[in-house]
Amino acid sequence: AQRVTQPEKLLSVFKGAPVELKCNYSYSGSPELFWYVQYSRQRLQLLLRHISRESIKGFTADLNKGETSFHLKKPFAQEEDSAMYYCALSGLTGANNLFFGTGTRLTVIP
Amino acid sequence: DTGVSQDPRHKITKRGQNVTFRCDPISEHNRLYWYRQTLGQGPEFLTYFQNEAQLEKSRLLSDRFSAERPKGSFSTLEIQRTEQGDSAMYLCASRDWGRTSSYNEQFFGPGTRLTVL
């Protein structure tokens, strides 16, 4: 069965400090991994996915298949990064629906 | 096209009443998904459509829930005989599957928040 674990419900960092949001997953097969973000009073939106291997808004995430992790990192946090972050996975066949973790609320302290 | 839209944004109802939500996906998106999100949880998959065909339903979708996408465009989600446990945010998402890339993004609507008293 698939599972996405985000161990931290809340994370606070100071502006300019590095930030890492943890995500571990279990899936029988090769999933696609995503990070979605929800800013205050906005809809859920895609931040990045492992297959594109790109940096968005300074965030990166590397898929570690050995540790089944997909941690989200940014070297210098900004106040506008304060939001709810969800890690999610999708299978590559069938419905391709998303399985989400419980989310981490990131607060960047000025 | 301003993205996925959902109506209503908020719905308060009494236990036992029926409610219906509507989702308008991004034009030409052939896949449409419904998710449910309860407090403190991430969204959970309910069902999805490929054009007008409902291809999969999760076990979360009890017999009181029914979804349609009659013309392959907008979709409705109906909950009959609502219960307090149905209180949640109901999210709709759409994507363009298969015609350009297998890895197209799911675009989410703003959600309908249901409160069952």
Side-chain angles (χ1 to χ4, degrees), chain B residues 1-17:
Chain B
D1 194 318
T2 56
V4 179
S5 61
Q6 294 186 244
D7 183 71
R9 296 290 303 276
H10 304 273
K11 178 71 177 178
I12 300 174
T13 191
K14 293 183 179 179
R15 185 164 51 93
Q17 298 295 304

Side-chain angles (χ1 to χ4, degrees), chain A residues 9 32 36 38 43-46 49 51 86 90 92 94-103, chain B residues 3-4 31 33 35 37 40-43 45 48 56 91 95 97 103-106 108-110:
Chain A
K9 280 199 173 295
E32 186 174 4
Y36 276 78
Q38 188 166 27
R43 63 186 65 190
L44 202 57
Q45 60 185 283
L46 178 66
R49 54 189 169 215
I51 198 165
Y86 293 96
S90 170
L92 297 180
N96 303 104
N97 56 285
L98 293 163
F99 298 96
F100 287 88
T102 51
Chain B
V4 179
R31 283 200 175 180
Y33 299 81
Y35 293 85
Q37 185 174 21
Q41 301 298 316
F45 169 71
Y48 91 103
E56 190 169 324
L91 296 167
R95 71 186 297 180
W97 171 255
Y103 302 114
N104 280 325
E105 175 183 346
Q106 284 192 33
F108 281 83

Side-chain angles (χ1 to χ4, degrees), chain B residues 12-30:
Chain B
I12 300 174
T13 191
K14 293 183 179 179
R15 185 164 51 93
Q17 298 295 304
N18 299 343
V19 294
T20 300
F21 311 139
R22 176 180 170 126
C23 170
D24 286 88
I26 294 172
S27 298
E28 306 305 318
H29 276 193
N30 51 8

Side-chain angles (χ1 to χ4, degrees), chain B residues 52-117:
Chain B
E52 67 276 4
Q54 187 175 17
L55 296 185
E56 190 169 324
K57 295 188 280 189
S58 86
R59 66 181 186 281
L60 294 176
L61 213 65
S62 76
D63 292 344
R64 297 183 295 105
F65 288 68
S66 62
E68 295 182 341
R69 195 183 182 197
K71 297 182 180 179
S73 57
F74 74 91
S75 175
T76 58
L77 177 68
E78 181 183 15
I79 309 174
Q80 296 182 325
R81 305 180 304 280
T82 52
E83 302 173 355
Q84 288 184 326
D86 297 331
S87 295
M89 177 74 86
Y90 290 85
L91 296 167
C92 175
S94 70
R95 71 186 297 180
D96 183 13
W97 171 255
R99 290 184 290 199
T100 53
S101 164
S102 296
Y103 302 114
N104 280 325
E105 175 183 346
Q106 284 192 33
F107 293 85
F108 281 83
T112 294
R113 183 170 295 284
L114 173 66
T115 302
V116 182
L117 302 176

